Amino acid sequence: MKLPHYGDDRGSLVAIEANETIPFEVKRIYYIFDTEKEVQRGFHAHKNLKQFVICVKGTCDFILDDGSERTTFKLDSAKEGLFIDGVYWREMHNFSDDCVLLVLASEHYSKEDYITNYEDFLLQTRNI
Ligand code: T46
């Protein structure tokens, strides 16, 4: 999704409003940074979570897998974000040294919401 971008000769500004720019109430914000070269993150799905992912600096590859197809999104712009709604297996690869990944989430952190086993994830997608 492209984000509203207010740029002028002083620089850039992007504003995100809950239930307007993105279609959910934001209950949690986290960011991933200082990633080591060759690290891979994610490798899980969520049972009930909407997320909006913005690479505010640097680049990384974000993979979404719906159980039958894997799609790689190259995140490289602070002016757009990836909206994730549904049960997708996710992986993050190829972080640049300066990558900062900002994530807005619809729910508070819950360990129970994670599906960390790929076979369990496939079973869950088939039950939907
Ligand atoms: C996701 C991808 C994109 C917390 O205590 N609270 C939090 O809100 C989060 C997100 C994590 N944690 C703890 C749990 C672990 O001990 O932080 C540690 C690292 O989390 P995790 O290994 O899950 O990080 P990633 O990068 O593999 O996955 C994260 C999110 O957890 C996940 O929801 O969709 O980023």
Side-chain angles (χ1 to χ4, degrees):
M1 280 171 58
K2 296 242 180 274
L3 292 167
H5 170 236
Y6 306 97
D8 57 32
D9 54 9
R10 297 169 300 166
S12 294
L13 187 154
V14 169
I16 300 170
E17 304 221 18
N19 291 322
E20 291 189 15
T21 325
I22 55 171
F24 59 88
E25 197 72 59
V26 177
K27 290 197 182 153
R28 178 166 55 105
I29 297 171
Y30 60 93
Y31 41 96
I32 297 169
F33 61 106
D34 281 352
T35 44
E36 296 291 333
K37 262 201 173 4
E38 308 304 328
V39 320
Q40 303 179 345
R41 303 188 65 113
F43 295 88
H44 56 253
H46 283 282
K47 297 174 196 163
N48 176 35
L49 184 68
K50 295 183 176 74
Q51 295 200 111
F52 193 76
V53 184
I54 309 149
C55 190
V56 292
K57 194 168 172 60
T59 62
C60 72
D61 290 337
F62 203 107
I63 295 172
L64 290 181
D65 176 343
D66 66 3
S68 54
E69 196 178 352
R70 278 166 73 87
T71 307
T72 302
F73 297 89
K74 177 126 204 117
L75 303 187
D76 60 2
S77 171
K79 298 178 199 163
E80 47 191 56
L82 180 64
F83 176 47
I84 308 171
D85 183 10
V87 182
Y88 289 95
W89 186 262
R90 72 226 34 214
E91 296 173 16
M92 292 164 273
H93 300 268
N94 299 325
F95 289 94
S96 64
D97 287 339
D98 59 348
C99 184
V100 181
L101 206 57
L102 175 67
V103 185
L104 314 181
S106 65
E107 305 298 331
H108 293 292
Y109 177 69
S110 160
K111 213 174 167 183
E112 289 67 45
D113 190 59
Y114 284 69
I115 306 168
T116 54
N117 178 287
Y118 192 74
E119 295 305 317
D120 292 344
F121 157 72
L122 287 178
L123 284 174
Q124 175 102 9
T125 58
R126 281 171 201 149
N127 288 340
I128 286 171

